[in-house]
Amino acid sequence: MADRPSSTPTAAKPAIPSLGGRKPNFRERVVDVLRAALIAGELRPGEVYSAPGLAPRLGVSATPVREAMLELVKEGMVEIVPNKGFRVTALSERQLDEYTHVRSLIEIPTTVALAATAGRDDLEALRPVALEIVTSAVKGDLIAYVEADLAFHLRLLALAGNDHLVEVVRDLRRRSRLYGLTALVEAGRLKTSAEEHLELLDALLARDEQAVREVMTRHLGHVRGLWAARRPEHG
């Protein structure tokens, strides 16, 4: 899909969904979809993409795509290549490990605490999102998977009542890269990971703090294991 492919073999075109007519605010929607494509590895690090080249894939004009890419420049996910487009930035293994470590320090204890404080109705309201994650996994729709996964965890953390915490985790999750998702889809294994969201909800509703901790620890472990196409080095 890159407009100027490198010397390596050309990858398959990113599975970016057409957005024509789906959302009234195309710019925000384009930002969300492109960000998810970057996280899932549908847009590959080091490759250069242009707004006119990506626009037909989303079913919109080049303008909202260009604006979206400029927004992603601010987030450090892409960088401007003059007269060519935008290059996807790469993250080091150390950076990804550090992001995941900070996430574990925040997300695990916060989610465990919700077993005692979150209302049943608030938790049940997340079940449709958890089911959407599973459906996306079964379909192999990685962009929808990443978007639903982000929505689920941020909405869950929001139940703790700390908006700053949610924004910190949102930023860390956006910086993550989950390049192992494609291989999991091909192996038919992503559904198992997706179902952990339902397992987590059930543990929270059962007020089982130990089960919540176990599921969250396992779930976050995938970020640098299964979902990253890398075996965890510790634990």
Side-chain angles (χ1 to χ4, degrees):
M1 176 69 195
D3 300 291
R4 292 180 178 273
S6 62
S7 57
T8 56
T10 301
K13 288 186 177 181
I16 301 176
S18 172
L19 301 180
R22 287 179 57 188
K23 293 285 183 178
N25 191 331
F26 284 131
R27 181 181 176 278
E28 290 185 8
R29 182 59 182 147
V30 172
V31 172
D32 290 342
V33 169
L34 290 178
R35 186 187 293 113
L38 288 161
I39 293 172
E42 298 285 3
L43 300 178
R44 303 298 297 181
E47 297 285 0
V48 177
Y49 300 89
S50 71
L54 289 171
R57 302 289 297 177
L58 286 84
V60 299
S61 69
T63 298
V65 177
R66 186 176 297 107
E67 292 175 347
M69 292 299 262
L70 289 172
E71 186 68 26
L72 294 172
V73 168
K74 297 177 184 178
E75 296 180 13
M77 301 189 79
V78 298
E79 59 187 11
I80 297 173
V81 180
N83 302 318
K84 295 181 180 179
F86 302 87
R87 179 183 292 113
V88 179
T89 57
L91 296 178
S92 69
E93 294 291 320
R94 178 173 179 175
Q95 285 176 303
L96 292 171
D97 283 339
E98 289 176 349
Y99 295 157
T100 307
H101 178 60
V102 176
R103 283 180 55 188
S104 69
L105 293 176
I106 298 173
E107 292 188 60
I108 293 175
T110 301
T111 306
V112 169
L114 289 174
T117 62
R120 295 189 65 85
D121 289 345
D122 290 331
L123 291 171
E124 283 293 355
L126 290 172
R127 194 170 297 276
V129 186
L131 291 171
E132 182 180 348
I133 298 171
V134 175
T135 299
S136 300
V138 172
K139 292 180 177 179
D141 187 340
L142 297 185
I143 292 179
Y145 180 94
V146 169
E147 288 193 296
D149 178 73
L150 177 64
F152 176 89
H153 287 286
L154 294 185
R155 285 176 58 181
L156 178 61
L157 291 172
L159 298 180
N162 187 327
D163 293 340
H164 184 66
L165 179 150
V166 174
E167 287 307 309
V168 169
V169 173
R170 185 196 305 274
D171 180 64
L172 290 169
R173 281 179 168 270
R174 286 174 172 177
R175 293 175 183 273
S176 298
R177 299 293 186 273
L178 306 175
Y179 296 153
L181 293 183
T182 299
L184 288 176
V185 169
E186 293 173 350
R189 298 172 60 194
L190 187 58
K191 179 174 179 287
T192 300
S193 295
E195 289 173 339
E196 289 177 345
H197 298 85
L198 294 168
E199 183 182 356
L200 176 61
L201 274 183
D202 289 341
L204 286 165
L205 287 163
R207 309 302 183 187
D208 188 336
E209 294 185 6
Q210 183 58 38
V212 172
R213 185 180 301 279
E214 190 276 327
V215 175
M216 278 299 298
T217 301
R218 177 178 4 117
H219 193 65
L220 276 178
H222 297 328
V223 176
R224 300 305 292 131
L226 290 175
W227 297 344
R230 190 186 91 171
R231 292 178 180 273
E233 296 176 359
H234 306 286

